Amino acid sequence: MITLPRSSTTRPARVVWAGSVAAILLLASGCATNSNSASVYSANQTQREYTVRMAVVESVREVSIEREQTGLGTGAGAIVGGVAGSSVGGRRDGVAGAVIGAVAGGIIGQAIEGAGNRRKGIEILLRYSNGDLRAIVQEDDGQGLKAGDTVRVMQSGGVTRVVRG
């Protein structure tokens, strides 16, 4: 009978490693979110007609754009923390460790997801030729807009973009 050598990696360590990889993949997929930049178009925003109006920038203010959290960070963190915590101590300590690890992992995962969902944005106050004032918020894509700039305001399907004129 041939016996295979036992792996030097213990079962709990392998489970923690596998859980960590799964959690990282979940977090990474949750961070792949749509852009709110005036320079980025999704595939369904191409080959459409846009209404274009000219306006003058009255002011530009920096803002933060925070996207909704999906819960993936919390869930993945709780799984990894729970698995890691369960490998601490014996059977009784393992249950307590799993609970503490799951709570701590969930909190850390939520913080990581939240930071990944925050984008730098700008609020642009515009004056149209008829005197109307409008404010539009979009991601700061480095256009360097400032008061007095003439811009194009492009609208289609509920999406409005401000781009240098």
Side-chain angles (χ1 to χ4, degrees), residues 50 76 80 91 123 127 156:
Y50 282 77
V80 172
R91 184 175 202 166
E123 176 189 83
R127 183 173 301 278
S156 178

Side-chain angles (χ1 to χ4, degrees), residues 72-87:
L72 286 175
T74 304
I79 290 168
V80 172
V83 171
S86 69
S87 65

Side-chain angles (χ1 to χ4, degrees), residues 3-151:
T3 59
L4 297 173
R6 287 185 74 100
S7 170
S8 61
T9 307
T10 63
R11 179 168 168 73
R14 286 184 293 201
V15 171
V16 169
W17 182 84
S20 298
V21 169
I24 289 168
L25 291 173
L26 282 172
L27 278 172
S29 69
C31 293
T33 54
N34 296 328
S35 175
N36 289 325
S37 167
S39 301
V40 177
Y41 289 81
S42 66
N44 68 348
Q45 292 174 327
T46 61
Q47 296 183 328
R48 288 185 175 200
E49 181 178 15
Y50 282 77
T51 301
V52 180
R53 297 185 296 165
M54 301 303 288
V56 175
V57 176
E58 290 284 317
S59 65
V60 178
R61 181 174 74 101
E62 289 185 11
V63 297
S64 289
I65 299 172
E66 196 165 304
R67 298 174 194 239
E68 289 185 36
Q69 292 203 8
T70 62
L72 286 175
T74 304
I79 290 168
V80 172
V83 171
S86 69
S87 65
V88 174
R91 184 175 202 166
R92 188 175 212 177
D93 293 336
V95 172
V99 171
I100 292 169
V103 171
I107 291 169
I108 292 168
Q110 182 181 29
I112 291 170
E113 182 183 3
N117 285 343
R118 199 167 295 118
R119 303 275 192 261
K120 183 178 176 185
I122 52 175
E123 176 189 83
I124 310 161
L125 184 62
L126 303 169
R127 183 173 301 278
Y128 291 100
S129 59
N130 65 1
D132 282 354
L133 276 175
R134 303 276 187 222
I136 298 170
V137 176
Q138 64 188 33
E139 279 186 29
D140 186 356
D141 54 5
Q143 293 187 71
L145 297 175
K146 59 187 180 311
D149 285 348
T150 300
V151 294

